[in-house]
């Protein structure tokens, strides 16, 4: 048996960056990934969806350009070519990860790994017929799609009438009528793509609003915009059954049906931790999630869990940071996770981005806060590039500590701008100091400065 300093199970963002950082820190590292390096994010999540969404944005710009003095005729979108380009982008980035692992001298084993238990000097992991041992172990097994107990759902998945985010990204033909079960981030992004390229989309969500904890006013902007494009939202509705060509749901006590030729299941994700042998180590679990502390340590010394499998905050960039914190802890470098400063984004069109507390969540924690809201129309560049844009920004300030604790926005470039606000939340600098920062003009990002002067 070959002895490693570290074994990482799972080659997604948390896993491959953990392996990279550990190897750079002088640790002999092995990375196990049964499918493809990059995990869900790179192969069937973050990157491929953004590739599709960029094509949809280009298509919308072409078809709605008359207001900007540009006339485009006979604009078409070739969905098969969009998917082909997506595959090329994914292949390029997966190759990049492979190259990085090679340059860092990480041993990559393309087999499923299962923990066998403790051995002298560490832990044993089996892959195929081979056994491997390491002084430390990182579980980075990711997450899986939740399949709720709805009649006909499993049969629909088996027939191909129901797809998850994995399968929908590989379809070469557009459906005419699409039903999306679930109005969370993944469901909204895919609904955004299909609605933008001419598919009639119906989103069925059991909660009274879309996008989970996102600010209700932001959700309204999204619903208004996509309602304009023909998307329908069925909120506070429970899916009852999936038939061979429709979805049955309950709305206000009444049973209804919507016909379609494809269903996208997007009812959430849960940590993937089954079949890994975790029980052989006695790891503390919170249902399917591995319990970790601020250093990503589990209750078993030498075992860490990063990324979706710990259920903390299922975002690729969270996994990246968790990987760094975990490796730093192994190397004796002082570091810890601060989940309250991690930004989140919904890559719809317009984009949604946020970081930190909302006014309501802050008050629920007993904080005294002031909230400032400002339309994106205060940004000259936003007005120049958006016709009748409804975007806005909200800042949340802790009046006792005199610092920014939250920022929420909807509008163009929000995904790129939010990092500025995240740094402000992270550094806890007072607004008086932040007002001295100089933003380039004209930029949409100036909206943060404009809002800061309203505090």
């Amino acid at each position: 048996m070959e002895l490693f300093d570290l074994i990482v199970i799972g080659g997604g963002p948390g896993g491959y960056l953990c392996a990279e950082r550990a190897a750079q820190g002088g640790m002999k590292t092995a990375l196990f990934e049964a499918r493809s390096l990059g995990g869900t994010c790179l192969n069937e999540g973050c990157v491929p969806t953004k590739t599709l969404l960029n094509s949809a944005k280009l298509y919308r710009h072409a078809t709605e350009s008359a207001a900007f003095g540009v006339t485009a005729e006979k604009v078409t979108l070739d969905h098969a070519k969009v998917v082909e380009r997506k595959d090329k982008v994914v292949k390029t980035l997966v190759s990049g990860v492979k190259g990085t692992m090679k340059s860092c001298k990480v041993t990559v084993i393309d087999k499923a790994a299962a923990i066998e238990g403790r051995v002298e000097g560490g832990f044993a992991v089996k892959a195929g017929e081979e056994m491997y041992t390491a002084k430390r172990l990182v579980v980075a097994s990711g997450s899986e799609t939740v399949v709720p107990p709805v009649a006909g759902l499993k049969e629909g998945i088996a027939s191909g009438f129901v797809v998850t985010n994995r399968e929908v990204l590989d379809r070469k033909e557009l459906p005419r009528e699409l039903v999306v079960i679930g109005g969370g981030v993944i469901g909204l992004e895919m609904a955004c793509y299909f609605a933008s390229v001419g598919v009639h989309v119906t989103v069925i969500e059991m909660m009274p609003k879309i996008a989970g904890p996102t600010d209700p006013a932001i959700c309204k902007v999204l619903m208004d915009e996509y309602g304009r494009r023909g998307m329908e939202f069925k909120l506070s509705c429970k899916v009852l059954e999936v038939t061979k060509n429709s979805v049955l749901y309950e709305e206000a006590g009444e049973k209804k049906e919507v016909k379609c030729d494809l269903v996208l299941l997007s009812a959430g994700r849960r940590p993937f931790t089954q079949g890994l042998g975790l029980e052989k180590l006695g790891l503390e679990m919170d249902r399917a999630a591995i319990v970790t502390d601020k250093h990503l340590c589990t209750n078993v010394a030498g075992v860490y869990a990063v990324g979706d499998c710990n259920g903390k905050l299922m975002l690729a960039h969270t996994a990246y940071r968790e990987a760094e914190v975990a490796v730093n802890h192994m190397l004796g470098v002082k570091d810890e996770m601060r989940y309250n400063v991690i930004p989140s984004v919904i890559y719809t069109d317009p984009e949604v981005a946020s970081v930190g507390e909302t006014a309501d969540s802050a008050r629920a924690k007993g904080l005294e806060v002031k909230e400032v809201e400002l339309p994106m129309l205060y940004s000259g560049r936003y007005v120049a590039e958006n016709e009748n844009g409804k975007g806005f920004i909200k800042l949340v300030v802790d009046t006792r500590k005199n610092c920014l604790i939250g920022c929420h926005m909807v509008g163009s470039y929000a995904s790129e701008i939010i990092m500025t606000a995240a740094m402000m939340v992270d550094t806890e600098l007072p607004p008086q100091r932040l007002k001295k920062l100089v933003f380039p003009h004209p930029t949409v990002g100036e909206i943060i400065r404009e809002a800061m002067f309203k505090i």
Side-chain angles (χ1 to χ4, degrees):
M1 292 189 297
E2 189 172 2
L3 177 63
F4 292 89
D5 295 312
L6 175 67
I7 282 178
V8 182
I9 299 177
Y16 73 70
L17 188 66
C18 193
E20 178 183 346
R21 293 287 187 265
Q24 290 171 338
M27 301 172 70
K28 183 180 180 182
T29 305
L31 174 64
F32 291 78
E33 174 53 58
R35 297 181 62 209
S36 179
L37 286 176
T40 297
C41 173
L42 189 47
N43 293 281
E44 57 201 47
C46 316
V47 171
T49 56
K50 303 320 165 280
T51 307
L52 265 65
L53 286 166
N54 186 61
S55 293
K57 187 184 295 185
L58 291 171
Y59 179 72
R60 183 181 69 81
H61 286 174
T63 57
E64 299 182 3
S65 61
F68 299 88
V70 179
T71 302
E73 297 180 355
K74 297 180 180 179
V75 179
T76 61
L77 180 136
D78 187 331
H79 179 67
K81 286 191 175 181
V82 172
V83 173
E84 183 180 325
R85 181 174 183 274
K86 178 267 299 183
D87 292 339
K88 183 179 71 172
V89 169
V90 169
K91 183 178 179 180
T92 298
L93 294 175
V94 169
S95 296
V97 174
K98 289 180 179 178
T100 299
M101 294 300 98
K102 184 177 181 179
S103 66
C104 291
K105 295 181 172 56
V106 173
T107 299
V108 178
I109 300 162
D110 57 354
K111 296 179 182 178
I115 299 167
E116 289 294 298
R118 300 172 190 263
V119 294
E120 184 178 351
F123 308 93
V125 170
K126 188 175 183 180
E129 298 301 317
E130 300 295 324
M131 195 75 74
Y132 305 83
T133 60
K135 299 174 185 176
R136 297 183 181 88
L137 181 65
V138 170
V139 181
S141 51
S143 60
E144 61 183 348
T145 299
V146 172
V147 181
V150 173
L153 195 54
K154 290 184 177 179
E155 292 81 358
I157 292 174
S159 70
F161 176 58
V162 179
V163 295
T164 68
N165 64 294
R166 176 183 298 174
E167 298 86 23
V168 76
L169 290 167
D170 291 329
R171 286 179 59 92
K172 298 296 178 65
E173 295 181 359
L174 291 171
R176 296 182 304 278
E177 299 280 343
L178 173 68
V179 169
V180 179
I181 299 177
V185 174
I186 298 173
L188 285 176
E189 289 186 353
M190 293 312 303
C192 166
Y193 171 75
F194 286 107
S196 297
V197 300
V199 175
H200 183 260
V201 179
T202 302
V203 177
I204 304 177
E205 168 59 50
M206 67 184 300
M207 301 301 289
K209 62 181 284 295
I210 59 172
T214 304
D215 186 287
I218 290 178
C219 295
K220 185 179 185 307
V221 170
L222 288 183
M223 289 181 63
D224 288 347
E225 175 61 25
Y226 282 98
R228 180 181 72 81
R229 300 184 202 177
M231 190 186 299
E232 294 187 52
F233 293 91
K234 307 295 182 182
L235 305 182
S236 300
C237 293
K238 180 181 179 181
V239 175
L240 302 174
E241 182 181 354
V242 175
T243 73
K244 293 182 178 180
N245 63 352
S246 69
V247 175
L248 303 177
Y249 64 97
E250 183 180 358
E251 183 175 23
E254 183 179 351
K255 187 175 181 179
K256 297 185 177 182
E257 181 179 25
V258 55
K259 299 282 187 179
C260 59
D261 50 310
L262 187 68
V263 176
L264 172 61
L265 175 61
S266 185
R269 297 184 68 84
R270 64 185 171 200
F272 177 71
T273 51
Q274 295 297 313
L276 300 178
L278 303 182
E279 67 282 354
K280 296 179 181 178
L281 297 179
L283 290 185
E284 182 182 356
M285 307 291 291
D286 181 6
R287 291 183 289 185
I290 303 171
V291 176
T292 57
D293 65 11
K294 61 185 178 181
H295 304 296
L296 287 309
C297 299
T298 67
N299 63 308
V300 177
V303 180
Y304 301 75
V306 305
D308 289 4
C309 67
N310 66 33
K312 298 281 189 181
L313 195 57
M314 293 186 178
L315 299 168
H317 48 281
T318 303
Y320 282 143
R321 181 66 185 127
E322 288 176 334
E324 293 171 340
V325 171
V327 172
N328 280 340
H329 186 266
M330 298 173 202
L331 298 175
V333 178
K334 188 176 180 180
D335 200 0
E336 64 181 49
M337 281 300 297
R338 294 182 62 204
Y339 291 100
N340 65 306
V341 298
I342 294 178
S344 61
V345 177
I346 306 176
Y347 293 87
T348 44
D349 180 15
E351 294 180 346
V352 174
S354 62
V355 64
E357 305 285 351
T358 64
D360 288 342
S361 69
R363 290 179 182 125
K365 295 178 181 178
L367 304 179
E368 292 185 6
V369 300
K370 180 179 180 180
E371 183 180 57
V372 172
E373 180 177 334
L374 203 64
M376 285 285 189
L377 297 175
Y378 274 69
S379 159
R381 184 177 182 186
Y382 181 83
V383 175
E385 296 186 359
N386 292 270
E387 188 72 7
N388 300 316
K390 305 294 188 222
F392 65 87
I393 184 173
K394 284 186 179 181
L395 297 183
V396 183
V397 175
D398 185 325
T399 55
R400 286 178 184 165
K401 292 182 66 175
N402 192 34
C403 64
L404 186 69
I405 59 172
C407 176
H408 310 269
M409 65 178 77
V410 55
S412 50
Y413 309 111
S415 62
E416 304 291 344
I417 299 167
I418 195 63
M419 189 55 213
T420 301
M423 291 177 67
M424 293 176 172
V425 174
D426 186 46
T427 57
E428 298 184 345
L429 291 172
Q432 292 82 355
R433 175 66 184 88
L434 297 177
K435 290 175 182 178
K436 296 179 181 179
L437 296 176
V438 179
F439 287 72
H441 177 79
T443 57
V444 180
E446 285 179 289
I447 196 67
I448 296 178
R449 172 181 166 83
E450 294 291 338
M452 195 68 64
F453 275 91
K454 301 296 181 182
I455 293 174

